[in-house]
Amino acid sequence: MTTYEAVIGLEIHVQLRTRTKMFCRCPNRFGDAPNANVCSVCLAHPGMLPVANGEAVRQALRVGLALGCRIPERSKFDRKNYFYPDSPKAYQISQYDQPLCAEGAFQVPGEDGGFVVGITRAHLEEDAAKTIHVGGEAGRIAGSGSSIVDFNRAGTPLLEIVTEPDLRSGEHARRFLTLLRATIVATGASDCDMEKGTLRCDANVSIRPVGSTGFGTKCELKNMNSFRFLERGIAAEIARQTALLEVGGRVTQATLHYDPSSESLTVLRTKEEADDYRYFPEPDLLPVAPSPTLLEELRAGLPELPVARIARLRDTYGLPDATAATIALTPSLADYYEELAALTGDPRLAANWTMGELSAHLNAASLEAAASPVTPPRLAALIALTVAGTVGSNAAKTVFGELVADPAVDAATIVERLGLAQVDDADELGAIVDAVLAANAAEVAAFRAGKVQLIGFFTGQVMRQSGGRADPKVVQALLNDRLR
Ligand SMILES: [Zn+2]
């Protein structure tokens, strides 16, 4: 039987964070009353002329530089013609043959050695208005009684990023998009929030026999709105195409919608030929020619990007790739971690706490690390108590909860107030051990007859009697001594 491999490319739309829209002065703002942010330019009244937003161009260039793109000396805007109520001009201003950013290469690190994804292009365009289909199932047009249009989004700046078909699985796509998102967020160009739609992703998926270099017929998966759904949707589409080919069928080019609740794919439309948008140059806008000085200035202004920070966390602190990646993807968490590692002098232990209790608390409270009441010095003081053996691991978690609840108190005070200090006094623990052994004579006999796994039972009893405060190492030693 033929073995197939998947060939996947992504098209990503990023809404840029600018004060105003791409070609007019209307506010670029999410969540306002419908049709509040409109003017004669973005509503396409006759005779109105667009003016390109310089800040949007700079943001797009920052992203292009961060993705390792080549920035051509000159790029231009084009009209992409289509007729739909979300575009009052009946065309979208986009970029066709001369995009702002060209050929890039984006490295995705990982335990498996990672992979490189080619960036075909990144170009500027304007977003369409938002169409809402009233009465249709889940807002879809099928079965709806009417459609209403909100033009607040019409004309807002979008950066479309197109990758080469370099991805081979849904997991690859998820890892790539996760790192791409963190990189764009780091540049400050967008908040890339998939739930709010400021990051949208379509995937082109095809399969081919392993070893072949040709391309199969591709299908497009539309608008997957989470990293998990992107991974699962692609996996489902690869399975669908493989099943078709294995029974001698063929893949028909189609646009598909993935429904994560039923994990099913539905065909939105099939197409036998490419759409013809009759692109032609936009006569109302000047070409964009970024000067070398501007590019140098933008490049110098970029912060440390996630891929560089992953490498630095790995090399400086000896963290495994996966841990370094998880921490580096959130800049405020990475800042927190680095401060904690310096304060404790133990990068591994600092990473365990950052990934464990701290992350759980931040997620539960929807907090950025910098806003946590458990500051790095407070957590470092608690970690010092665990290293010194003053508190055991369970008690330390209790102390952490108290640090969250009361920002004014320090770890040592909590330990004292709640009586959480670990007991390692051999006399005190010896008395408990003796009592436990006396109360469980049958188990002691069984242990001496060879049932050595009962050591766990005795340890558990002693820990319980001590209220969880006994030092397990001392308990082990005492038990071994008494049971000889
Ligand atoms: Zn406007």
Side-chain angles (χ1 to χ4, degrees):
M1 197 151 47
T2 319
T3 318
Y4 295 96
E5 71 172 358
V7 177
I8 304 154
L10 300 182
E11 278 179 32
I12 299 130
H13 285 92
V14 175
Q15 251 177 13
L16 296 176
R17 187 192 283 161
T18 53
R19 206 169 47 76
T20 55
K21 292 189 182 182
M22 187 63 227
F23 300 113
C24 65
R25 288 182 179 160
C26 291
N28 173 23
R29 205 161 49 213
F30 180 82
D32 283 4
N35 296 311
N37 304 327
V38 293
C39 72
S40 47
V41 174
C42 54
L43 291 178
H45 289 189
M48 291 299 132
L49 292 174
V51 177
N53 182 334
E55 183 54 20
V57 173
R58 282 188 290 274
Q59 296 281 34
L61 288 171
R62 283 163 68 81
V63 174
L65 292 170
L67 301 183
C69 286
R70 178 176 70 81
I71 310 296
E73 279 175 25
R74 185 187 149 103
S75 81
K76 67 172 175 57
F77 290 102
D78 298 275
R79 292 185 178 180
K80 177 182 179 179
N81 296 280
Y82 74 98
F83 183 72
Y84 199 71
D86 65 4
S87 171
K89 296 195 293 288
Y91 62 82
Q92 176 194 32
I93 303 179
S94 181
Q95 298 194 286
Y96 183 52
D97 55 346
Q98 293 183 39
L100 192 66
C101 314
E103 314 96 30
F106 191 69
Q107 172 76 40
V108 182
E111 314 272 275
D112 56 359
F115 51 92
V116 177
V117 181
I119 307 291
T120 314
R121 57 190 282 150
H123 70 252
L124 269 172
E125 59 186 30
E126 56 179 342
D127 208 348
K130 191 168 183 149
T131 318
I132 300 147
H133 304 294
V134 184
E137 203 178 320
R140 311 270 288 278
I141 197 163
S144 66
S146 62
S147 299
I148 52 177
V149 187
D150 177 2
F151 287 94
N152 283 355
R153 202 180 66 186
T156 56
L158 278 186
L159 184 67
E160 179 175 327
I161 300 165
V162 182
T163 78
E164 291 292 300
D166 290 341
L167 300 157
R168 293 289 170 266
S169 68
E171 190 225 339
H172 268 193
R174 174 181 53 73
R175 282 166 59 189
F176 164 74
L177 193 64
T178 306
L179 190 61
L180 181 84
R181 177 190 179 277
T183 303
I184 297 172
V185 170
T187 67
S190 174
D191 62 355
C192 289
D193 186 332
M194 287 186 108
E195 277 179 30
K196 282 199 312 203
T198 53
L199 175 67
R200 310 196 286 265
C201 182
D202 305 332
N204 286 306
V205 182
S206 65
I207 61 171
R208 65 184 176 198
V210 170
S212 139
T213 51
F215 293 108
T217 306
K218 67 183 177 187
C219 289
E220 188 180 20
L221 290 177
K222 276 294 194 193
N223 262 330
M224 281 155 296
N225 59 5
S226 83
F227 295 103
R228 208 155 39 96
F229 297 161
L230 173 72
E231 179 170 7
R232 286 207 215 145
I234 289 173
E237 177 57 11
I238 293 170
R240 188 187 72 91
Q241 292 187 14
T242 308
L244 268 174
L245 295 193
E246 276 177 353
V247 297
R250 71 183 190 94
V251 176
T252 314
Q253 193 174 339
T255 304
L256 300 149
H257 170 77
Y258 174 68
D259 178 7
S261 55
S262 61
E263 305 207 357
S264 64
L265 292 154
T266 44
V267 175
L268 295 177
R269 64 197 172 102
T270 57
K271 47 183 179 183
E272 293 295 331
E273 286 159 41
D275 294 314
D276 182 5
Y277 292 112
R278 295 193 305 114
Y279 279 95
F280 64 86
E282 165 62 68
D284 294 338
L285 287 164
L286 291 167
V288 180
S291 71
T293 322
L294 172 68
L295 292 180
E296 219 23 73
E297 191 183 299
L298 293 174
R299 200 190 303 272
L302 287 177
E304 183 184 28
L305 297 171
V307 71
R309 196 159 197 183
I310 292 170
R312 191 167 59 78
L313 292 185
R314 186 191 57 212
D315 300 342
T316 309
Y317 301 105
L319 298 181
D321 264 325
T323 308
T326 309
I327 292 176
L329 284 181
T330 313
S332 71
L333 191 68
D335 293 344
Y336 187 108
Y337 166 74
E338 294 204 65
E339 190 179 342
L340 189 64
L343 288 167
T344 57
D346 188 335
R348 290 274 177 160
L349 203 48
N352 289 346
W353 277 92
T354 303
M355 301 275 287
E357 295 302 301
L358 180 76
S359 289
H361 143 65
L362 295 176
N363 289 338
S366 297
L367 278 181
E368 288 273 311
S372 169
V374 189
T375 58
R378 295 181 82 215
L379 182 50
L382 169 57
I383 294 174
L385 293 177
T386 66
V387 172
T390 311
V391 284
S393 54
N394 282 331
K397 287 179 185 169
T398 309
V399 177
F400 185 88
E402 296 298 314
L403 290 175
V404 172
D406 185 351
V409 69
D410 64 89
T413 310
I414 295 166
V415 170
E416 200 178 306
R417 193 187 287 165
L418 300 183
L420 290 169
Q422 191 157 260
V423 179
D424 58 2
D425 181 272
D427 291 340
E428 192 180 329
L429 289 180
I432 300 176
V433 167
D434 289 337
V436 165
L437 296 183
N440 297 283
E443 282 77 10
V444 172
F447 177 89
R448 292 204 163 112
K451 210 170 168 192
V452 291
Q453 65 270 36
L454 279 168
I455 193 79
F457 165 77
F458 297 127
T459 310
Q461 291 291 312
V462 176
M463 293 305 288
R464 189 182 304 173
Q465 300 269 329
S466 73
R469 298 190 299 118
D471 183 333
K473 280 198 255 28
V474 179
V475 173
Q476 287 286 331
L478 288 167
L479 281 167
N480 282 331
D481 182 53
R482 302 284 203 278
L483 289 165
R484 282 296 138 217

